[in-house]
Amino acid sequence: MAFDLKRRLAAEALGTAILVATVVGSGIMADRLSDDVAVSLLGNTIPTGAILVVLISILGPISGAHFNPGVTLVFAARREIETSAAALYVIAQAAGGIAGTLVAHAMFDLHLFQVSETVRTGTGQWIAEAVATFGLVFTILAGLRFREDAIPWLVGLYITAAYWFTASTSFANPAVAIARAFSNTFSGIRPMDVPAFIVAEVLGALVATAVAAWMLAKRPSTSAITLKGAE
Amino acid sequence: MAFDLKRRLAAEALGTAILVATVVGSGIMADRLSDDVAVSLLGNTIPTGAILVVLISILGPISGAHFNPGVTLVFAARREIETSAAALYVIAQAAGGIAGTLVAHAMFDLHLFQVSETVRTGTGQWIAEAVATFGLVFTILAGLRFREDAIPWLVGLYITAAYWFTASTSFANPAVAIARAFSNTFSGIRPMDVPAFIVAEVLGALVATAVAAWMLAKRPSTSAITLKGAE
Amino acid sequence: MAFDLKRRLAAEALGTAILVATVVGSGIMADRLSDDVAVSLLGNTIPTGAILVVLISILGPISGAHFNPGVTLVFAARREIETSAAALYVIAQAAGGIAGTLVAHAMFDLHLFQVSETVRTGTGQWIAEAVATFGLVFTILAGLRFREDAIPWLVGLYITAAYWFTASTSFANPAVAIARAFSNTFSGIRPMDVPAFIVAEVLGALVATAVAAWMLAKRPSTSAITLKGAE
Amino acid sequence: MAFDLKRRLAAEALGTAILVATVVGSGIMADRLSDDVAVSLLGNTIPTGAILVVLISILGPISGAHFNPGVTLVFAARREIETSAAALYVIAQAAGGIAGTLVAHAMFDLHLFQVSETVRTGTGQWIAEAVATFGLVFTILAGLRFREDAIPWLVGLYITAAYWFTASTSFANPAVAIARAFSNTFSGIRPMDVPAFIVAEVLGALVATAVAAWMLAKRPSTSAITLKGAE
């Protein structure tokens, strides 16, 4: 790794800030402009997927572009990042995420400091968060194995899909969940609902790590993607 | 093939499950959020196209990423997968697909077991399914010939288009058709309408196999894509 | 060129048929499902852009993937296709396009043979068609020079944009214009309005050929795309 | 650089013209077709992102594909373009942008010369423009460092996101801001509001240049994108 820890932490903070500013900002914009909630969700989804491709492409070479404590935890469990660096990553992500919320509020002339009142709780929501994070982590781990240079696209497209197929619109990220608790807008979440989201996300991440460890544990296959069920 | 049959079947089941969870889940989400059916269909289309790119990229190297008995049948007819393995693939796909429906229902707090009442029948629908599967299989076979590494994108984009240009919204997949019969939501299909869909899909797949065998049967061209009508 | 003329003509006919089936079919679907014309146009645009990426990727290596008499004319003018082959290309494109309209009608349970009543005429429309075709042909010629393997994407994305920024929704293709005259649905055009569209398209194509001949006429630059204004 | 200054300036003018014609033209189309402003913004966003990928791909090898005085200023500050050429670039961009507005008006049968009455002012808007341009310039500079061949996509996707997450819909370009002042349509801006936009854009560009100089200032890392937090 050519970049020192200071720059890596700055990249994690900046990336998470822009990611959250996109989620919160596009949510505000979309909600203001439409009465059709599905149209608003499209206006929230497309920017989020797009910015993920950009951020992972340009910051991945510096910090790995986690932007997500769940992802950092997975790499720590796989001993691919030191525990001390991982802890600092998580702090940078949380701080960057909250900064992203503040920037979004400033741009839209809203009070900088807010607390969300949006209820997001219940079994369905928790299953959704576990499923969403399972899919995200499995995508990253299998992507690293087979198509490393496509990972920015794979993550951006995965989240684009997960916004819609999970009942929770796929937070799938503890730092983003915390940051969204500070915004009483379209993409907010009540602070008291955050802990259960984080528990579900961590569980989903750990299950994905285990499944990937089993399913990918093999001699390297040919790197070519194929639809053929070759013998 | 570096991966053993157990892992290949697991990849087929997991991939089909996530694919169906996306189709059914995003259908529920989109239908709940909008009164405009075209907006709902966009909210169903975009996630499906996106997840296909992801799933084929990350599971293709393990199992070939068929996720579709029609596709498995084509490769069996071309003797590119053994008959016994093909039969197990189809079972894994069907089981995975139904599991995907159940996961979608669990996330959206719906009854897990449902039977669809959505009528999808008639000549137009059957022509549409045959056309949709023809296009899908031709895309895969020509893609394997000319642009193997682009296949995740080609399939994702093809289905994105086929959702809209076919009157049936392009099931194009017997396992997905069966799984969707178990969901009385936006993307469901009445069980009694499934067999005709499967017949049309298999016919479309076989015609595509024959057309591709003729049209692609030539000395290898230059691999470069060109718009020039070179001599 | 490894493929014989028979297969090249079949590829042109098949590709133009699928392209037109997508344009006409998605137009019918979108128009039926929404009262918001912009939503319908999105449901028409996204499938068209997507299918172009697919068709050019999989049929480009066979025939060059013109699907467009204007494009074939340009390559004939540049002596990159023989005149006799070019004439047969145009016939295959026109026949394929009409077949595509019929397939779309069959899928949507409409009368197979129709004549459009949609008025598309006037100076603005003609300027739009000239601009649209100028941009398409320039994109193809500059793409061939600098990014040949990206051409499927460049054309798909160009048409995605041109649907919206031109007042005519960018037919930009005489074969497609003729085929759309046979459909009295969302994407139709009155037969009497077609000739002026074709004239405008041919003019735009010829201007683009001339501009590209001048602008690209230089020693080869480095192939890398750069945003830097290097000396 | 293989291309002479004349061709480089022509490429800057042509590219900025098509970019502005897309922004203004798709804004007119979208606004006419829908009463839902979020739908109109989608119809404005998707074409703009798409055309940016195309224009940077096909004109980047000629001129660098700045299309933006802010970007030209950054490269001049980094001494990657001569001051005299930079000044001519800015003139070509401004002239091309205004021509793009006129072309859009001609296609939509509007008065060619207009003055916008759309108010776009206030602290939130200015912060938004600074943030938007910061992100654009940082994306370009980090993209040039790590993924040069992906820059057309990175810029297209960044602007797709920025249309929604910034309160100003992300002009992020002084030449485009000036050109939009001449259109009293969806995407217009009152002339008296332009200077503050330009100041904010230049500030954002300069901050991004400084941040990138620090964050990217390191021995070359491995070129592979990685999500792992490798040591």
Side-chain angles (χ1 to χ4, degrees), chain A residues 4 12-13 19 21 46 53 85 92 99 117 130 159 171 178 190 228:
Chain A
D4 56 25
E12 285 295 308
L19 173 59
I46 292 172
V53 178
E117 295 165 8
I159 292 296
F171 285 51
I178 290 169
R190 218 171 36 164
K228 298 192 220 173

Side-chain angles (χ1 to χ4, degrees), chain B residues 93 144 151 183:
Chain B
Q93 291 156 1
L144 282 172
I151 282 183
S183 186

Side-chain angles (χ1 to χ4, degrees), chain D residues 161-172:
Chain D
Y163 253 77
W164 288 83
F165 82 75
T166 66
S168 60
T169 69
S170 185
F171 285 50

Side-chain angles (χ1 to χ4, degrees), chain D residues 8 13 18 38 49-50 133 136 145 150 160 189 199 212:
Chain D
R8 289 163 61 199
I18 298 179
T133 315
L136 174 63
R145 171 78 183 276
T160 298
I189 176 173
V199 169

